[in-house]
Amino acid sequence: MVTVEQQRVARKRTYLMCSPAHFAVEYAINPWMDPATPVDPELAVKQWDGLRETLIGLGHEVHLLDPEPGLPDMVFAANGAVTVDGTAYGARFRHEQRSAEAAAHRSWYEARGWRFVAPVRTNEGEGDFAYLPEAHGGLLLAGYGFRTELPAHAEAQEALGRPVVSLHLVDPRFYHLDVALAALDDANVVYFPGAFSVASQRVLAQLFPDAVLAADEDALAFGLNLVSDGRHVVLASEATRLAGTLRAAGYQPVPVELAELRKGGGSVKCCVAELRP
């Protein structure tokens, strides 16, 4: 039973999303993508709309990035940058198929007056960075091993002025940090230990002794690719065991259906970048 002390408090968030108007699986750049598996474009848009409406219904503000033809993965807006206190550290995508997305994100931020830092090193934005403003004075967790290169962590630290903790991803199914770990509030996380090296597991255990741990079945259902406002946790409807674990920890799970977008290797968080002016 959740005690009074465990009641969680929501904080209004500001998000950036991009419609899946051009979403398709035309290539395979992660283990979840199969160009032979057809995508239902209308259903993808309907499910994405449901996610956007859910976030707005929870009291959050959602801005939109215009999708561009020929960039089917632009729907995964979290990959375009990571932001802290009005600075956006931009993405430099590993795969050529997504490289043009970086310019679209840069234009969006610069047109709205953000301080934008163009990267030299390969990184994929919030795909591999998670910011916790109240953890150890403000901390960026950063994944590497498949997409973002390790030197980008130092580059992000210089750009954003926050300490960066590097975490080694070792299972290709968890090719981004955001499919293996998520911030539940401003100071705590949920993660799947098996996605990380033994040393990185020790680091996470030291930094977050009260973290929620996910089972492999929920991690493989993209349950960790979630968005939380500190109380409401929007996550894949298939991650039923994790939803129960979160409820027991005082959070309120909000399941959504994003099966079509999962065909591209992403779910809730991949579609949602948090803006921190």
Side-chain angles (χ1 to χ4, degrees):
M1 180 177 293
V2 178
T3 67
V4 173
E5 289 77 17
Q6 289 176 298
Q7 292 294 334
R8 308 298 179 177
V9 178
R11 177 170 63 80
K12 181 179 178 179
R13 310 293 176 117
T14 303
Y15 297 124
L16 179 65
M17 298 180 67
C18 181
S19 167
H22 305 296
F23 175 66
V25 179
E26 299 174 349
Y27 44 77
I29 58 173
N30 67 59
W32 305 98
M33 301 177 80
D34 180 3
T37 300
V39 169
D40 183 333
E42 291 184 5
L43 182 56
V45 171
K46 181 180 179 180
Q47 291 176 347
W48 178 89
D49 276 334
L51 172 59
R52 180 179 59 85
E53 291 166 2
T54 295
L55 295 172
I56 293 171
L58 291 171
H60 305 301
E61 184 177 355
V62 177
H63 295 266
L64 297 177
L65 173 68
D66 291 334
E68 297 185 9
L71 296 176
D73 281 339
M74 269 191 77
V75 63
F76 300 128
N79 301 155
V82 57
T83 65
V84 175
D85 293 345
T87 294
Y89 171 59
R92 184 183 181 95
F93 288 87
R94 177 165 298 279
H95 295 286
E96 187 274 336
Q97 294 95 328
R98 299 195 65 184
S99 60
E101 294 179 38
H105 283 268
R106 179 174 185 168
S107 295
W108 191 93
Y109 284 103
E110 290 184 336
R112 288 156 182 81
W114 286 73
R115 174 178 175 262
F116 188 90
V117 178
V120 174
R121 299 295 189 171
T122 298
N123 84 89
E124 299 198 348
E126 283 195 328
D128 273 323
F129 288 97
Y131 181 54
L132 292 100
E134 295 182 8
H136 307 280
L139 191 68
L140 279 160
L141 301 178
Y144 73 98
F146 298 104
R147 296 292 186 86
T148 295
E149 60 179 350
L150 188 57
H153 296 182
E155 190 174 67
Q157 181 167 281
E158 287 299 306
L160 299 171
R162 295 293 188 277
V164 175
V165 174
S166 298
L167 301 170
H168 189 191
L169 297 164
V170 295
D171 185 330
R173 297 172 299 178
F174 305 101
Y175 61 95
H176 271 159
L177 183 70
D178 71 0
V179 293
L181 176 149
L184 283 175
D185 50 43
D186 291 339
N188 202 16
V189 298
V190 55
Y191 66 96
F192 172 55
F196 299 93
S197 69
V198 172
S200 291
Q201 290 179 42
R202 289 200 298 266
V203 169
L204 285 167
Q206 179 177 334
L207 290 174
F208 303 101
D210 299 321
V212 175
L213 302 184
D216 57 355
E217 65 194 67
D218 290 310
L220 293 171
F222 282 81
L224 291 165
N225 195 239
L226 60 81
V227 167
S228 175
D229 62 15
R231 181 186 180 197
H232 308 100
V233 182
V234 183
L235 77 168
S237 57
E238 294 86 353
T240 54
R241 180 174 174 179
L242 180 58
T245 302
L246 292 169
R247 189 177 293 107
Y251 298 95
Q252 183 177 327
V254 182
V256 294
E257 177 56 64
L258 283 180
E260 286 306 297
L261 294 171
R262 279 183 56 184
K263 295 175 181 177
S267 188
V268 176
K269 176 56 189 173
C270 286
C271 296
V272 181
E274 184 167 351
L275 302 176
R276 305 176 184 90

